[in-house]
Each structure stands twice: as C-alpha cells, then as structure tokens.
Amino acid sequence: MTALLEEIARRWPEMAPELWLGTLDTVYMVVWSALFAVLGGLPLGVLLVTTDRGGLTPAPVLRAVLSGIVNVGRSLPFIVLMVAVLSLTRLLTGTTLGPTAAIVPLSIGAIPFFARLVETAVREVDRGVVEAAHAMGAGKPTIVAKVLLPEALPGLVAGLVMTLVTLVSYSAMAGAIGGGGLGDIAIREGYQRFDDLYLWATVVLLVVVVQAAQSLGDLVIRRISHR
Amino acid sequence: MIEAVGLHKVYRLKGRQVRALDGVDLRVEQGEVYGVVGQSGAGKSTLLRCVNLLERPTLGTVTVDGTELTALRGPRLRAARRRIGMVHQHFALLSSRTVAGNVAFPLEVAGTDRAERRRRVGELLELVGLSDKARAYPAQLSGGQKQRVGIARALASNPSVLLSDEATSALDPATTESILDLLRGLNRELGLTILLITHEMDVIKRVCDSAAILTDGTVRESGRVIDLIGRPGSLLARSLFPLPAVDHPDAVHLTYTRSYDEPLMSELTRRYDVDVNVLGGAIEEVSGHAVGRLAVRVSGARRADALAWLDGKGLLVEAAR
Ligand SMILES: Nc1ncnc2c1ncn2[C@@H]1O[C@H](COP(=O)(O)OP(=O)(O)OP(=O)(O)O)[C@@H](O)[C@H]1O
Ligand SMILES: [Mg+2]
C-alpha cells in the first residue's frame, strides 16, 4: 500500500499534465457532441411523437422513415460507426485523428440515442394538457414550444445526462483509434506500455467525469421538476 | 348561446364503426346552465368536444354566439375557440407552470401583453379565491384548488360560454358543492352560459336550468328541468328522484311539480277519510321550487276520489308499476 502511494507521489508530476489534458479533451469531445446531439436529436425526437398516429401532425410514412433511420443509428456498434464515417469525418474536419475529428462520429452516434430518449419524454406528456391547449385555441407550434417541451423538460434533462454518460464511454472508445482524451491515454500508456498506474488513473478520472455529469443533472432535474 | 343541429359523429375503429352521436339537436340559451346526463359511453364527452370542434362532427352544424364553428378551420377556428372556455375532469393543468402561469397561458396564446396578463391573472385568481396560491405549482394543490385554477384559466379569455366535462367527478362531495356554487355564481354574475356534462344527478338538481338525457348517441329527453319533472313518464324525473320498487295494488307515485304552501297530505286524509302511508321518495329544491316524487300507499273506500283530488291539485299521479 505504502509502496503504491510512494510510486504515485513520485510519478505524479510527470503524469498530471497529460492526465489533465486528457480530461480536458474528453470533456471537450463530450460537450460538443452533446450539443450536436441536442440540436439533431431534439427535433428528431419531437417529430417521432408528433408524426405518430393521434399526434399533432400525423404522418405515418415520414415517421416510419425517421424511425428507421434512428434504428439504424442505434443498432450500429459505435466502433463500427466510427470507421464507417471516416471519410465524412475527414471532409468535415480535415483529419481523422484527434478530439475534434472524434466529435463527428460521436455526434452521429448520439443523435439517434438522444432522439429516442426525447421521444419517450415527450410521449409522457399528459394528453389532457395537450387537448386543453387545443381547446384554448393554441396552434401546433405553440403546443410544441409551450406545452410539450416545458412539460417534458425534466425527462429531457434526464435523457441529456444519459447521453452525456454514454458519450463519455464512446469517447474512450474513440481514443482507441486516435481520438485523444482519457481513452487514448488508457490505451497508449496503460495497455500498450503496460503502465497500470496510467490505466487506473484514467479509470478514476472517467468515473469522476461521469459522476459529475450525473450529479449535476440530478440537481437540475430536482430544481425544474414540479410534479 | 349554443346551437347544435343534426350532429352525427362516427368513429372508425379497425373497420368497425362506432356511432358516438346519432343525430343530436341541442339548444342552450344565453345565460343558462345546461346539463347533459347519460350512461357511460352514451356520447356525452363526444358531444361536448364537438361543441368546440376538438372533434369535428361527421355531419351537422354547431353555432356558438351566432358563429357557425363547423364552417371554420385553421386560425379562424382557433380564434373562435378562445371565446369558449373549457373545464376538464382531470384538470389538465401544466405541471411545469405555477398557478399564475397556468391562468396566464390562454392569454399568452391570445397574444395579450405582459402587463395586461398580470392584471387579468390577479383578477381571475381573486374571482376563484386563490390569490394566495399564485406562485404554487399544481402538484401542491388539492383537487378542489386545481379545479379552481382550471376554471380561472377557462375564464381568462373572457368567454361567453363555458364547457365542463365532469368537472366535479374527481372531487369529494364537499368540494363538489363548492365548485358547483362557484359555477352557479359565475353564471349569475357574469351571465356565463354553461354547458356541463355529469353523471351525478345531484349536479342537475343543484345547478342546471335545463337538461338533456343522452342514450346511445341520441337525445332521449330535453328541456327545462322543472318542466321535465312535471312531464308524465319522464326519464329525467325518475332518475332525479328514484323510488323504491313497490308491489302493492294501492301504491302510487306522486310527483310534486311545484311548491305547495298547504299541507296536502293531511287535507287529503281529512277530506276523503283515506290512509296514506309514505313508502319512499324525496322532495328537494330544484330551480327554486320544492319538487320531488313520493311512493305512497293510499287506501280507503274513497281512494279514487282522493287520487283525483291530488291530480286536480297539479300533482302527477301514476300507478306504481
Ligand atoms: N377517439 C375515439 N375513437 C373511437 N371511438 C371513440 C372515441 N371517442 C369515443 N369513442 C366511442 O364513442 C362512444 C361515446 O364515447 P364518449 O366518450 O362520448 O362517452 P361518454 O358518454 O362521455 O362516456 P363516459 O361517461 O364514460 O365518459 C363510446 O362508445 C366510445 O367508445
Ligand atoms: Mg365522458
């Protein structure tokens, strides 16, 4: 035990900067990908509900198409998706290496994931409230903006947290093919150089990042939920 | 005023047709409280939802305050709906908004500016007695308070007509009474026309001027409650004042169709030397009249004369079977 602590103390100055940068890279990838996941997944998830039978704007064909696309995105293993979109990644970022390049597959993976969670949250909104809004003469955009989204907000935030957590693990996978971040460190230093200390340090840091996202999310949900 | 003419509503469910409304005519006069009763599945909710076109009738027209709603679509229909308030059985409040926010919602929809919204919300909460709850969330309110918020919200856009689908069905008797008092008060003070649906006969007795009975999508009976009570064989009268089953040749059902100052029964026994035995029934105040139905046994040599005298007094005398 003391031997381990001594080793940590001895090597810390050398490890700290790399681990810190790795953490920042992970957070950078996750945050940007989450942003794109929201930009793409939120409208997609809402559409999956409103185009359904009995929804605001029923459109069975459109819904079947959207649902199909989402299912394809959801069923691809992330590691396969990452390889599959390499040329798109190069087109958008000019490279296939590094955290910025990793944002492309991460976003593409997270959009359908978040869309399904949005769909579930929006579907939970009380139909009676939607009907009441109709009775008050509210139009469809108003109902989406002022009824569906605010009423679903706690569920949406929970979905976002789940997406963030999943993105942390995806980002570690991205590290395996040169995406940067904590996963990259774990593979390079921990696995390829058999350096257990690096391996465990990245594990601890990943857990810390996930915990931080979850706790912050729970706090926000508690603040905004009035059920 | 609400007028529905020849309403039909057919739902198609997996190739099967459900005739929820099968030729309903309804006329609700300006300023009256009109109750619709009927068994579960009779089409009451469908009828109400057809009035503000939440459900478009398959056939027939709906006119509210001179505007034919069935002729409108899109933005013009939405604008017309703002003149019709609606109260829901399960309140249908936005859980993410405070009481004040819920009441302000229809005003936001109508594009009312912020200052005016604040003023109006204050006024409405005062009206329903919830000024102290403005910043509470629906989850923190009792059922009765939630329904008051629902009523305030329904009144926000100054409607001339209020629709209510079982507004008191989720409430206990005391709370039901306070909500009914509130509705009756709004009807009297604001001249609000109210069309309500209920399965509680008590609601009809307590607040309705007129009523209709709906059976299998058609109106079985309709008219002013006090008139229906006086109509021989009336289904509404029988539902309002149910009588115990009696199987006795001397038994009759008496319907009091108006208030009487004189003691009818004691005069009856004195005049005709008959015995009168009350088997069941009730006399209650409806629309300001003490009316009701009794099952009584009248026996004695001059029984026929006695019954004829009651008939002459304006009571409805019917054989008990
Ligand atoms: N959206 C719908 N699709 C198909 N059938 C429907 C729909 N809404 C109502 N119905 C049918 O129409 C009939 C009338 O229903 P409605 O809800 O109007 O009855 P109700 O008198 O309000 O009953 P309750 O007292 O139980 O509320 C029922 O047979 C019902 O199954
Ligand atoms: Mg109903």
Side-chain angles (χ1 to χ4, degrees):
Chain A
M1 192 67 203
T2 41
L4 180 65
L5 286 176
E6 267 168 29
E7 194 186 346
I8 292 174
R10 186 172 52 77
R11 294 191 52 202
W12 185 247
E14 156 219 345
M15 287 169 70
E18 188 175 6
L19 287 172
W20 175 240
L21 283 180
T23 306
L24 285 185
D25 276 352
T26 292
V27 170
Y28 165 81
M29 285 188 283
V30 166
V31 166
W32 276 100
S33 309
L35 186 74
F36 288 119
V38 170
L39 287 178
L42 190 63
L44 194 52
V46 170
L47 270 177
L48 282 172
V49 179
T50 59
T51 55
D52 205 358
R53 269 180 298 120
L56 274 184
T57 52
V61 177
L62 176 63
R63 198 194 119 81
V65 171
L66 292 178
S67 185
I69 293 172
V70 166
N71 283 342
V72 169
R74 295 273 284 119
S75 52
L76 279 188
F78 180 68
I79 201 104
V80 176
L81 177 93
M82 218 162 34
V83 179
V85 300
L86 273 179
S87 51
L88 178 67
T89 303
R90 185 172 293 117
L91 188 76
L92 289 176
T93 64
T95 171
T96 58
L97 290 177
T100 303
I103 290 172
V104 176
L106 284 173
S107 302
I108 292 174
I111 287 171
F113 182 83
F114 186 58
R116 280 290 179 218
L117 297 174
V118 170
E119 182 192 3
T120 310
V122 173
R123 214 180 273 290
E124 297 253 302
V125 174
D126 180 9
R127 289 180 73 97
V129 181
V130 175
E131 172 159 314
H134 276 297
M136 284 179 247
K140 286 162 191 170
T142 311
I143 290 178
V144 171
K146 293 199 171 217
V147 178
L148 292 183
L149 292 180
E151 288 291 290
L153 193 58
L156 296 177
V157 174
L160 179 60
V161 172
M162 205 184 263
T163 306
L164 284 171
V165 170
T166 304
L167 276 170
V168 172
S169 86
Y170 282 3
S171 78
M173 251 188 271
I177 61 161
L182 290 170
D184 190 28
I185 296 174
I187 298 289
R188 265 191 298 109
E189 309 282 354
Y191 180 66
Q192 285 161 2
R193 292 195 199 158
F194 307 103
D195 192 335
D196 280 353
L197 207 53
Y198 262 111
L199 193 60
W200 291 117
T202 54
V203 167
V204 168
L205 284 171
L206 285 169
V207 169
V208 167
V209 171
V210 166
Q211 272 295 336
Q214 188 69 54
S215 306
L216 189 68
D218 288 347
L219 195 77
V220 171
I221 292 167
R222 222 171 301 131
R223 287 294 301 268
I224 60 175
S225 178
H226 298 289
R227 277 179 197 276
Chain B
M1 206 212 35
I2 305 171
E3 191 166 28
V5 180
L7 284 191
H8 287 260
K9 178 73 198 184
V10 181
Y11 289 111
R12 267 167 250 282
L13 271 179
K14 297 177 190 124
R16 205 169 53 87
Q17 287 196 351
V18 181
R19 294 180 163 275
L21 296 178
D22 204 3
V24 170
D25 297 315
L26 191 77
R27 192 184 161 86
V28 183
E29 299 297 339
Q30 177 67 46
E32 79 172 336
V33 181
Y34 197 110
V36 176
V37 286
Q39 294 191 328
S40 186
K44 305 181 297 292
S45 298
T46 306
L47 173 60
L48 201 74
R49 293 157 49 80
C50 278
V51 169
N52 60 359
L53 277 256
L54 280 180
E55 211 72 76
R56 190 169 277 277
T58 313
L59 216 71
T61 60
V62 173
T63 309
V64 176
D65 284 336
T67 309
E68 193 193 320
L69 296 187
T70 33
L72 304 178
R73 282 177 187 278
R76 296 188 49 205
L77 174 59
R78 291 204 298 277
R81 274 189 188 142
R82 287 176 205 142
R83 306 280 303 132
I84 305 173
M86 192 172 196
V87 186
H88 309 261
Q89 178 175 1
H90 299 293
F91 322 121
L93 301 176
L94 290 149
S95 62
S96 56
R97 286 182 175 228
T98 60
V99 165
N102 269 281
V103 177
F105 185 78
L107 298 168
E108 285 174 31
V109 168
T112 312
D113 69 62
R114 183 181 283 268
E116 171 65 9
R117 277 201 316 255
R118 279 182 66 99
R119 195 189 62 73
R120 188 90 185 104
V121 168
E123 210 172 82
L124 288 158
L125 289 180
E126 176 104 44
L127 188 67
V128 299
L130 279 181
S131 301
D132 56 328
K133 296 284 182 197
R135 297 161 72 92
Y137 284 89
Q140 302 162 328
L141 302 181
S142 71
Q145 290 169 332
K146 283 183 201 166
Q147 199 53 293
R148 283 170 188 274
V149 178
I151 292 171
R153 179 178 70 176
L155 296 175
S157 52
N158 263 321
S160 60
V161 167
L162 188 71
L163 307 178
S164 154
D165 192 349
E166 305 268 15
T168 58
S169 299
L171 306 174
D172 64 53
T175 314
T176 293
E177 192 150 323
S178 80
I179 294 293
L180 290 179
D181 286 345
L182 175 62
L183 289 178
R184 188 81 230 194
L186 293 169
N187 161 256
R188 296 221 173 102
E189 282 149 37
L190 310 177
L192 195 65
T193 306
I194 301 179
L195 173 58
L196 64 84
I197 278 174
T198 183
H199 64 263
E200 297 161 300
M201 286 296 161
D202 238 28
V203 173
I204 302 286
K205 280 189 223 169
R206 288 184 47 90
V207 299
C208 293
D209 301 303
S210 299
I213 299 184
L214 212 58
T215 323
D216 292 336
T218 53
V219 174
R220 272 284 285 277
E221 218 176 270
S222 68
R224 299 191 61 78
V225 176
I226 195 75
D227 297 340
L228 290 176
I229 289 174
R231 186 180 295 175
S234 162
L235 196 63
L236 185 85
R238 270 185 255 165
S239 315
L240 287 178
F241 298 99
L243 291 176
V246 279
D247 192 20
H248 194 281
D250 286 347
V252 289
H253 288 169
L254 299 179
T255 305
Y256 286 67
T257 61
R258 63 175 179 86
S259 314
Y260 290 89
D261 290 331
E262 67 265 40
L264 286 180
M265 285 304 148
S266 56
E267 197 177 341
L268 186 77
T269 54
R270 243 182 292 120
R271 259 177 197 257
Y272 298 99
D273 194 23
V274 286
D275 288 317
V276 176
N277 186 18
V278 177
L279 304 169
I283 306 287
E284 287 176 57
E285 178 160 320
V286 175
S287 313
H289 302 268
V291 296
R293 302 205 316 142
L294 298 179
V296 297
R297 261 175 67 185
V298 181
S299 47
R302 302 181 63 197
R303 178 174 185 275
D305 296 335
L307 295 182
W309 181 79
L310 285 174
D311 185 67
K313 281 286 178 189
L315 268 70
L316 227 61
V317 184
E318 292 161 298
R321 279 178 293 168

